[in-house]
Amino acid sequence: GGRLGQNSYLLKQEEAEKYCPMNSTESFLPNPRWQSGYELVVPLQSTRGTYVGWIFMDDPRDLAKITGDEMSKIELLGGDLAVTIGNTTLHRQLVRAEKLAAIGQLVAGVAHELNNPLASIMGYSELLGDEITEGPSRQKLDKLSREAQRMKRIIENLLRFARQNNLEKKSSNLEALLQ
């Protein structure tokens, strides 16, 4: 459409029909600035330059107010609205990140609490393994030991998930570490 203000456009009926299929019920006297079906459009552009929406206006009350100066007020409103929409998106992302961090802390706490009794189970199953060498009791003990090892791997995976470490590569003196 034709530019009306710095960030507003006037769409004629055939241009507006692509975006706004609603037809106006108003009729206007012949006017070089406005005819039935025209739309005023103000794009809502975020601070990052992306478009987050549009303001469409039709059927003005006063045709004399369809000027660039008058549209600048609506353009300012549109700018504020675009910033608000952008802030809402950022707020949602922040809330989601906080929830994920809380879940990570919860998982780490549960994993540590499960690790303590699991260590006892694994230790006692090894001690019993030294005493029981054969028979159905040994098979049950082996199964207990395998399942405890499985639980240990699950807990390790949970702890790995909960950690938010950023691994970085750096050189080390192996001789000093070994000594």
Side-chain angles (χ1 to χ4, degrees):
R3 188 178 286 269
L4 186 58
Q6 282 190 320
N7 193 32
S8 57
Y9 304 89
L10 179 64
L11 298 180
K12 294 181 179 176
Q13 184 172 6
E14 58 274 4
E15 296 166 331
E17 285 176 348
K18 295 183 222 173
Y19 308 104
C20 304
M22 298 181 352
N23 292 325
S24 174
T25 58
E26 295 286 323
S27 61
F28 296 90
L29 297 174
N31 189 308
R33 283 193 253 171
W34 193 268
Q35 292 180 17
S36 295
Y38 278 22
E39 294 278 344
L40 289 172
V41 180
V42 179
L44 303 179
Q45 191 172 14
S46 73
T47 53
R48 294 186 307 265
T50 58
Y51 291 100
V52 295
W54 304 86
I55 296 176
F56 280 88
M57 297 170 283
D58 58 15
D59 299 341
R61 293 183 189 161
D62 184 0
L63 292 175
K65 291 193 174 186
I66 304 174
T67 65
D69 291 338
E70 288 294 318
M71 288 305 297
S72 65
K73 297 171 188 173
I74 296 173
E75 290 172 6
L76 285 172
L77 173 69
D80 290 347
L81 184 58
V83 167
T84 302
I85 291 170
N87 287 345
T88 302
T89 302
L90 290 174
H91 179 72
R92 282 189 194 127
Q93 291 172 350
L94 178 63
V95 167
R96 185 172 186 269
E98 288 174 347
K99 285 180 182 178
L100 287 174
I103 288 171
Q105 288 177 344
L106 176 68
V107 165
V110 168
H112 281 295
E113 288 300 317
L114 289 175
N115 245 349
N116 294 332
L118 181 61
S120 296
I121 292 170
M122 291 176 68
Y124 280 114
S125 68
E126 282 183 31
L127 290 173
L128 286 172
D130 293 341
E131 294 176 12
I132 303 172
T133 57
E134 292 183 23
S137 295
R138 178 61 190 205
Q139 292 172 348
K140 292 175 185 174
L141 185 61
D142 287 343
K143 184 168 184 160
L144 174 73
S145 183
R146 279 193 310 274
E147 292 301 314
Q149 289 293 331
R150 181 171 161 240
M151 286 176 61
K152 182 180 175 189
R153 283 191 303 275
I154 291 170
I155 290 171
E156 287 171 352
N157 288 338
L158 287 173
L159 285 171
R160 199 173 302 117
F161 164 77
R163 285 190 199 111
Q164 306 249 335
N165 294 343
N166 291 331
L167 300 176
E168 57 181 82
K169 294 179 182 180
K170 63 180 186 177
S171 48
S172 298
N173 183 356
L174 292 178
E175 183 179 345
L177 290 173
L178 289 174
Q179 289 180 0

